[in-house]
Amino acid sequence: DADVTQTPRNRITKTGKRIMLECSQTKGHDRMYWYRQDPGLGLRLIYYSFDVKDINKGEISDGYSVSRQAQAKFSLSLESAIPNQTALYFCATSDGRTDTQYFGPGTRLTVL
Amino acid sequence: AQSVTQLGSHVSVSEGALVLLRCNYSSSVPPYLFWYVQYPNQGLQLLLKYTSAATLVKGINGFEAEFKKSETSFHLTKPSAHMSDAAEYFCAVRVISSGSARQLTFGSGTQLTVLP
């Protein structure tokens, strides 16, 4: 089984809808991250969490919110989706010692 | 502030030829540097990382990178390209933000095409 899983893998939605992307990990890591990937822009950090009670904004948090339900679960929400949030979204984890991040397979989100 | 710049958004090589993907960094502190690879429809996976030990770092799948402080570079190389190396490659630097929080900042990526 994969160490970092994301659901759904693909999602098409309409402008104004609320969307939740979920991430689960079995690596036992404290730190979790949400990124979006756009062609030519690489990965940009949306939010990160270093433990269940710690949530921090990243480079591009506007229009997004997160919830750390447990050490193993970190969800990303789009309260009112807009077309420029169409992107590939990745969840990642790290243990804080090595700074190496481990990525999920991604969620492709399309907002019409 | 720490950042990385990847030169060349697309690189094409022939199978068996040398692969060279360029990454330059900017950092006011000794950097920790990473190369990740993304195969089609997959997440990123770590190829190799530099954490201030040996300047020549060997990674998976025959890739290696050399840290050159004088050139602020961390270029990725492989002596002989294989068709299976076709993917997107990302350079990243560890960033220490306010409150000592550590994150990674990624470059914009280089798409490697391997021609038969």
Side-chain angles (χ1 to χ4, degrees):
Chain A
D1 287 340
D3 295 321
V4 184
T5 57
Q6 293 183 234
T7 56
R9 293 293 313 277
N10 288 281
R11 182 72 184 267
I12 300 173
T13 190
K14 295 181 179 180
T15 297
K17 294 291 187 181
R18 184 178 188 273
I19 294 296
M20 179 181 285
L21 309 182
E22 299 189 346
C23 177
S24 294
Q25 53 114 348
T26 57
K27 298 187 75 67
H29 290 166
D30 291 331
R31 301 181 178 204
M32 299 187 73
Y33 309 81
W34 275 105
Y35 292 90
R36 67 176 279 175
Q37 183 182 20
D38 299 277
L41 296 179
L43 276 76
R44 292 181 290 167
L45 184 63
I46 306 173
Y47 270 95
Y48 61 101
S49 169
F50 285 174
D51 66 41
V52 174
K53 297 180 180 179
D54 177 76
I55 302 288
N56 303 280
K57 293 182 177 181
E59 179 186 353
I60 53 163
S61 59
D62 288 349
Y64 301 94
S65 62
V66 291
S67 173
R68 185 83 183 265
Q69 301 96 323
Q71 186 197 39
K73 296 183 181 296
F74 193 36
S75 300
L76 176 72
S77 293
L78 288 68
E79 296 301 326
S80 179
I82 56 176
N84 76 1
Q85 291 177 314
T86 293
L88 192 53
Y89 289 84
F90 286 103
C91 175
T93 74
S94 72
D95 64 11
R97 289 184 302 108
T98 65
D99 296 307
T100 299
Q101 294 187 13
Y102 299 86
F103 285 79
T107 294
R108 186 170 295 281
L109 177 66
T110 302
V111 183
L112 302 176
Chain B
Q2 295 90 359
S3 65
V4 289
T5 301
Q6 291 185 241
L7 302 176
S9 58
H10 290 84
V11 171
S12 294
V13 300
S14 298
E15 191 173 19
L18 171 71
V19 175
L20 171 61
L21 304 182
R22 300 176 186 274
C23 174
N24 288 89
Y25 71 89
S26 172
S27 179
S28 55
V29 299
Y32 281 22
L33 295 161
F34 302 76
W35 275 101
Y36 280 84
V37 59
Q38 183 182 26
Y39 297 105
N41 300 314
Q42 295 185 27
L44 280 71
Q45 62 184 89
L46 182 69
L47 268 180
L48 51 82
K49 63 181 179 182
Y50 167 78
T51 57
S52 77
T55 56
L56 182 62
V57 182
K58 294 187 183 298
I60 61 172
N61 301 336
F63 283 93
E64 63 182 36
E66 186 172 8
F67 173 74
K68 293 187 176 181
K69 184 177 179 180
S70 61
E71 298 177 9
T72 62
S73 69
F74 190 58
H75 301 333
L76 182 70
T77 60
K78 181 174 181 178
S80 177
H82 192 275
M83 297 297 288
S84 61
D85 294 328
E88 188 157 22
Y89 292 79
F90 293 92
C91 182
V93 63
R94 185 185 72 171
V95 173
I96 301 175
S97 57
S98 59
S100 301
R102 306 195 309 271
Q103 310 158 21
L104 297 183
T105 291
F106 289 83
S108 55
T110 298
Q111 182 68 46
L112 175 66
T113 299
V114 182
L115 305 171

